[in-house]
Structure formats: C-alpha cells, structure tokens
Amino acid sequence: MKKIFLAAVLFIATSATIQAQLLRLGVKAGVNFASQTGDAYMEGVAFDKDGITSYHAGLVAEIKLLDRFAVQPELLYSTQGATYKNAVDEFKNELGYLSIPVMAKFYLTDSFSLEVGPQASFLLSEKNDFDVKDAETFEFGLNAGLGFKITKNLFIQGRYGLGLTEASKNADVKNSTIQLSAGFMF
C-alpha cells in the first residue's frame, strides 16, 4: 500500500512539474506606434496621414510544445489609428480593439525568440474629432517580431502588425502598428 501511495504522489508531483513547465501565464503592456496605410479620401477630399502613439495591455500565455518552440496566445486591449489632415482640417481617429494574437515562438537561443502569427481584432471603441463612426467592427492581421527573456519571468518584445482587412467602411485604409512591450510571466 505504501508503494502505491508513494508512486501516486510521485506521479502527481511529476505531472504538476511538467505542466508548470509547459504552460505559463503572464501580463504585458507597452506602446503602439500606429498608422493606417492606403488612400484616405473622405467625401472626395484627400487627406495626409500621420501616425499616433498609443498603448496596449493584457494577458499572455506561453504553451511550450518543444524545446525551442512555443505558442503564445494573447488577449490585449490595443488602440490604433491615425491623424488625418488637409489644408483646412486636422483630426485624430483612435480605434480601441480587443486583439487576440496567436504567435508561434521559435527560440533561437534560450532567451531570444522569433515570433510570427495571425491576429483577430474586435472593435470596442472609436474616438474621433469629427463624429463619424465608420470603422469596421472586425479586423484580421498578421504579426511578426522578436522577443527576449531578460530573466525567467521578465521579458520584452518588439512586433510589427499589419492589418489585412480594411479598418474603415468609407476609406481604403488598413491598420499598421509597431508594438514595444514589456511583460511578466508568473
């Protein structure tokens, strides 16, 4: 009986240790350097676009599948958009998204990783200076970037995200974002 009990305790302890190594949860936040690509025409008038600086924050998980490969799903609140101007007007269009990137992480070393993956984003808010609510409610995009583990728990990431679907119902524009993040894994 003692041998069975000891074997069960060892099995449970080993399983818990293995699971702790396979799945890690954490938080991350950072800055967005966002812009919108494409032509910006409103009611036949052309506008110049400038980027905006905004933020992102949320939850992250890392699922280690192989020694040098992991999948990192995230749940982020991310603001994106641009500033539009012509000879007469200037206005800012800021879009708040619930973004769900799923990144494939290829570890080049124990600390340095290459990351690539798709992202689905759902529009939560739209702030602009001209009271036109014309943003699409869903956006699909691709992300690519680099990650670096400073310690076992602390990491930094740099990523470029390109929207593949139009961000506006009335203009041919797509979101383009550079994200710099810092995070902590528990």
Side-chain angles (χ1 to χ4, degrees):
M1 181 71 167
K2 288 182 182 180
K3 290 181 182 179
I4 294 173
F5 180 72
L6 182 60
V9 169
L10 286 175
F11 177 74
I12 291 170
T14 304
S15 296
T17 302
I18 289 172
Q19 276 210 288
Q21 292 173 356
L22 295 179
L23 174 65
R24 299 189 68 204
L25 301 174
V27 294
K28 73 181 251 185
V31 64
N32 288 348
F33 300 101
S35 186
Q36 292 182 324
T37 63
D39 295 327
Y41 288 96
M42 292 185 191
E43 299 176 9
V45 178
F47 283 84
D48 291 327
K49 296 184 297 283
D50 286 329
I52 62 170
T53 302
S54 58
Y55 66 94
H56 63 276
L59 304 172
V60 60
E62 183 179 86
I63 305 162
K64 194 92 174 205
L65 300 177
L66 299 171
D67 184 43
R68 299 263 183 215
F69 178 74
V71 174
Q72 181 172 303
E74 301 173 3
L75 185 63
L76 304 174
Y77 179 79
S78 178
T79 55
Q80 301 172 30
T83 300
Y84 292 84
K85 56 185 157 186
N86 66 10
V88 178
D89 293 320
E90 179 176 337
F91 58 88
K92 181 178 179 181
N93 187 24
E94 187 175 290
L95 307 171
Y97 289 99
L98 175 65
S99 297
I100 307 169
V102 179
M103 306 300 289
K105 292 180 74 170
F106 302 94
Y107 280 95
L108 305 174
T109 67
D110 288 342
S111 298
F112 193 68
S113 62
L114 174 66
E115 304 171 2
V116 63
Q119 174 175 293
S121 298
F122 301 91
L123 185 68
L124 298 179
S125 67
E126 179 177 6
K127 288 193 306 188
N128 51 43
D129 300 333
F130 56 100
D131 292 329
V132 175
K133 304 295 184 198
D134 72 340
E136 294 288 351
T137 57
F138 175 77
E139 180 193 45
F140 182 77
L142 291 177
N143 295 323
L146 300 171
F148 184 73
K149 287 184 182 178
I150 297 170
T151 66
K152 180 182 175 190
N153 296 341
L154 189 63
F155 66 90
I156 56 174
Q157 293 174 323
R159 182 180 296 170
Y160 176 71
L162 177 64
L164 299 178
T165 57
E166 291 183 2
S168 171
K169 296 174 185 168
N170 298 324
D172 183 22
V173 294
K174 297 176 182 169
N175 286 317
S176 172
T177 309
I178 295 174
Q179 293 183 331
L180 301 176
S181 310
F184 186 82
M185 298 298 269
F186 300 104

